[in-house]
Amino acid sequence: MSKEVARFKRVLHVRAIERDITQTELAGRLREEGAIIGRISDMEAERDNALDDFCADRGKTVSPQELWLERQGIDLMERKLSSDRQELEACRGRIEETRAELVSRHQNVQLMERYVGKLKARSDKEAIDAEQKNLDDITSMRYRRNMRKEVSP
């Protein structure tokens, strides 16, 4: 029985390590999400500044080519923002998948902990019962020996 307990403790240990790895993976994905959000925020601020400059009342004459280049720069920023937002949504999807996997792994660890606890309790009870049986045998042998001594004289 103790071999079975040891075997399931090893399984429990492996499952706990898998859960810890998943927690680390989730933390990395959350950091990635924060980085993407920061990048989007910076890009939006840069785009807003470019739009303000583009729409600002200009005192000097601006060539159509300059306006076109400025507008192309703003369009490029919009495309980059769109791409970053899509990346953010994909990252959030991966985060949710990782969270679901973490919940599942955590449940597996809890289930295994309960099972190992029951096995250990059963093993301990069997060991105590076996020890009690041995003590009872020793006690009965001593009792018989003492009874023989009393009858023999």
Side-chain angles (χ1 to χ4, degrees):
M1 183 56 107
S2 64
K3 289 181 183 179
E4 187 177 7
V5 171
R7 184 169 20 125
F8 280 103
K9 278 187 176 181
R10 284 193 304 272
V11 171
L12 172 63
H13 179 70
V14 168
R15 288 189 179 177
I17 288 174
E18 288 174 344
R19 179 191 59 193
D20 294 344
I21 289 170
T22 305
Q23 283 177 328
T24 304
E25 185 179 326
L26 178 62
R29 292 190 192 284
L30 290 171
R31 280 192 302 277
E32 179 184 357
E33 178 189 35
I36 293 170
I37 289 172
R39 206 169 58 225
I40 287 173
S41 177
D42 291 345
M43 183 65 73
E44 284 175 341
E46 187 179 331
R47 182 208 50 203
D48 291 344
N49 289 337
L51 278 172
D52 289 344
D53 289 346
F54 184 76
C55 296
D57 187 26
R58 300 176 186 222
K60 64 176 186 144
T61 306
V62 179
S63 72
Q65 184 177 10
E66 286 179 62
L67 285 174
W68 185 81
L69 287 173
E70 285 182 20
R71 182 64 198 160
Q72 289 300 314
I74 292 170
D75 287 344
L76 181 64
M77 288 180 204
E78 288 291 337
R79 285 193 297 276
K80 177 67 174 140
L81 271 171
S82 177
S83 171
D84 284 350
R85 286 185 183 118
Q86 288 175 351
E87 184 179 350
L88 178 62
E89 288 306 311
C91 181
R92 286 182 174 161
R94 290 190 301 272
I95 287 172
E96 288 308 312
E97 290 171 2
T98 305
R99 278 191 177 138
E101 183 179 347
L102 180 60
V103 167
S104 172
R105 289 187 189 273
H106 185 66
Q107 288 172 343
N108 285 340
V109 167
Q110 287 179 329
L111 180 69
M112 189 57 66
E113 284 174 342
R114 284 191 299 269
Y115 184 69
V116 167
K118 287 178 184 177
L119 278 179
K120 180 141 177 45
R122 190 174 354 151
S123 175
D124 291 347
K125 184 179 180 333
E126 286 177 5
I128 289 171
D129 289 348
E131 188 175 338
Q132 185 62 48
K133 183 180 181 295
N134 288 337
L135 289 173
D136 290 345
D137 288 346
I138 291 170
T139 302
S140 66
M141 284 190 283
R142 284 185 178 172
Y143 177 76
R144 278 190 230 140
R145 190 176 350 140
N146 286 337
M147 290 303 287
R148 284 185 198 152
K149 285 182 184 178
E150 288 178 10
V151 172
S152 297

